[in-house]
């Protein structure tokens, strides 16, 4: 990714976006072609790889590990729920700007955003039930093994292997696909009395659980304001022309799960509302395309296993 952009290039990009013709031929609301693979990393509970035509390449893995529950000493909250821990790292080879310590700030920004959108908790109370979920939709109560003692911790790690713009959207699509690919071993808990418990993790590879609430995980739609317009899936040069950036996390129901503004430029209230509504609609469409591809690959994998063939997953969407 270049560190500077010439006035002529900037003017060309701005005028093109104003006329709804971007430098690579796309219109303002168009994504580049996206490639999805799942189950790409062994020794993980789930994994996915997302590539965006033009350079961006992101690998996301999920590891389910047993650890102590985190209980708030003041409120007692957390005794009956598991945890989600997020981490993002940009490989130094992905871009010249990531060499040395150049990626530290971006790693921290992306990790914090991912954690806020996926792992903050929300309590839901009804007359008949009480559940604890994350803002990312995952039912954290289902990750608890022994209340107040042990739980499953989902470590979601994203590695940016190549950079061609629009990294956050790729990370969230990869996280959703990796969670869909994740299987958690079942456990058997034995009550020994006097508040003592023992549990056993079943070692049968086929005796596993899916991540409860995975269907409600959001993805992120990043909108870049350039001039008086906004675009999705910005290229590196378009990102250099961006005055303000709005990251919108939305789930399959079109509900807003998170919002974060970037860059120093302002966004007029009317344009802000337009961008949020556009992001919600676009996010729902992307989730439908993503989930359809995930389902197709899962069905294809089942057929390959039955035939004893090696697994190979590769799919395209969002053209």
């Amino acid at each position: 990714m270049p560190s500077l952009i010439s006035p002529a290039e900037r003017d060309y990009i701005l005028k093109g976006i104003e006329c709804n013709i971007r430098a690579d031929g796309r219109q303002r609301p168009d994504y580049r072609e996206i490639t999805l693979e799942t189950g790409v990393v062994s020794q993980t509970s789930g994994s996915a790889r997302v590539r965006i035509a033009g350079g961006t390449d992101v690998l996301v893995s999920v590891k389910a590990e047993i650890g102590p529950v985190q209980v708030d000493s003041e409120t007692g909250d957390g005794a009956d729920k598991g945890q989600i821990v997020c981490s993002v790292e940009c490989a130094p080879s992905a871009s010249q700007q990531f060499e040395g310590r150049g990626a530290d700030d971006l790693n921290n920004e992306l990790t914090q955003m991912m954690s806020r959108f996926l792992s903050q908790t929300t309590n839901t109370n009804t007359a008949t039930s009480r559940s604890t979920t994350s803002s990312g939709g995952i039912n954290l109560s289902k990750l608890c093994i022994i209340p107040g003692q042990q739980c499953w911790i989902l470590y979601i790690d994203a590695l940016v292997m190549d950079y061609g713009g629009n990294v956050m959207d790729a990370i969230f699509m990869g996280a959703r696909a990796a969670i869909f690919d994740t299987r958690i071993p079942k456990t058997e808990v034995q009550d020994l009395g006097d508040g003592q418990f023992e549990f056993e993790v079943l070692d049968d590879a086929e005796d596993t659980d899916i991540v409860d609430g995975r269907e409600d995980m959001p993805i992120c739609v990043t909108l870049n304001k350039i001039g008086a317009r906004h675009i999705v899936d910005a290229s590196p040069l378009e990102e250099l022309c961006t005055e303000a950036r709005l990251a919108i996390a939305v789930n399959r129901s079109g509900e807003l799960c998170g919002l974060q503004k970037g860059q120093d430029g302002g966004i007029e209230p009317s344009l802000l509302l337009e961008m949020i509504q556009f992001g919600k609609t676009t996010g729902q469409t992307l989730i439908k395309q993503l989930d359809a591809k995930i389902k197709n690959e899962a069905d294809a994998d089942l057929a390959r296993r039955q035939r004893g063939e090696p697994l190979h997953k590769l799919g395209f969407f969002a053209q």
Side-chain angles (χ1 to χ4, degrees), residues 10-309:
R10 183 182 299 272
D11 186 63
Y12 175 75
I13 290 174
L14 262 64
K15 289 182 177 178
I17 290 174
E18 180 66 30
C19 296
N20 202 20
I21 303 176
R22 296 162 69 174
D24 56 9
R26 289 182 290 155
Q27 295 183 333
R28 289 190 293 266
D30 293 342
Y31 273 80
R32 290 167 287 183
E33 186 176 71
I34 300 171
T35 306
L36 169 70
E37 298 173 87
T38 57
V40 294
V41 182
S42 61
Q43 307 304 316
T44 64
S45 304
S47 61
R49 183 179 183 182
V50 173
R51 284 176 282 180
I52 300 178
T56 294
D57 191 349
V58 174
L59 182 66
V60 182
S61 67
V62 179
K63 284 190 176 182
E65 298 183 1
I66 295 175
V69 299
Q70 286 190 343
V71 182
D72 190 302
S73 58
E74 296 182 0
T75 65
D77 182 46
D80 60 348
K81 66 185 182 184
Q83 303 169 47
I84 301 172
V85 179
C86 301
S87 176
V88 179
E89 180 179 355
C90 297
S93 59
S95 172
Q96 291 182 354
Q97 67 172 332
F98 299 156
E99 295 177 355
R101 299 183 61 85
D104 287 353
D105 289 343
L106 182 58
N107 289 341
N108 291 334
E109 177 187 357
L110 295 175
T111 297
Q112 291 173 8
M113 188 185 306
M114 193 175 178
S115 298
R116 184 165 60 254
F117 288 176
L118 292 183
S119 62
Q120 287 185 348
T121 59
T122 303
N123 291 328
T124 302
N125 294 284
T126 66
T128 58
S129 65
R130 179 182 183 277
S131 64
T132 304
T133 64
S134 71
S135 59
I138 295 174
N139 189 341
L140 299 181
S141 297
K142 293 291 187 178
L143 297 178
C144 184
I145 301 173
I146 302 176
Q149 297 183 32
Q150 298 291 318
C151 69
W152 287 106
I153 304 175
L154 299 183
Y155 292 93
I156 305 178
D157 298 313
L159 174 63
V160 180
M161 299 185 293
D162 201 0
Y163 183 80
N166 198 27
V167 166
M168 180 50 70
D169 291 16
I171 289 174
F172 269 78
M173 285 186 278
R176 183 178 175 90
I179 286 291
F180 266 78
D181 189 53
T182 296
R183 295 296 182 272
I184 301 176
K186 290 185 178 180
T187 57
E188 290 184 350
V189 180
Q190 182 179 2
D191 187 350
L192 303 179
D194 297 327
Q196 300 297 315
F197 297 88
E198 282 186 354
F199 71 92
E200 178 184 2
V201 179
L202 304 182
D203 57 5
D204 186 351
E206 300 299 324
D207 199 10
T208 58
D209 289 322
I210 63 172
V211 178
D212 190 72
R214 62 184 186 175
E215 298 85 359
D216 295 316
M217 279 189 67
I219 64 169
C220 184
V221 177
T222 303
L223 301 179
N224 294 65
K225 178 179 177 289
I226 300 177
R229 307 289 185 174
H230 58 82
I231 62 172
V232 297
D233 189 19
S235 68
L237 284 177
E238 289 172 336
E239 289 183 346
L240 289 176
C241 298
T242 296
E243 302 164 21
R245 182 180 65 248
L246 194 65
I248 302 168
V250 59
N251 63 19
R252 59 174 179 165
S253 301
E255 297 173 334
L256 191 64
C257 301
L259 192 67
Q260 179 164 316
K261 178 186 174 296
Q263 306 290 84
D264 297 329
I267 304 176
E268 299 78 9
S270 59
L271 181 60
L272 177 62
L273 294 175
E274 177 187 323
M275 292 171 71
I276 292 174
Q277 185 56 49
F278 178 82
K280 291 164 66 175
T281 303
T282 301
Q284 284 183 282
T285 301
L286 283 176
I287 286 175
K288 289 179 181 179
Q289 295 174 333
L290 179 64
D291 288 359
K293 182 52 60 180
I294 292 172
K295 183 180 184 302
N296 288 342
E297 292 187 351
D299 292 342
D301 280 349
L302 179 60
R304 292 187 188 100
R305 287 192 180 96
Q306 293 173 344
R307 295 194 300 265
E309 298 176 358

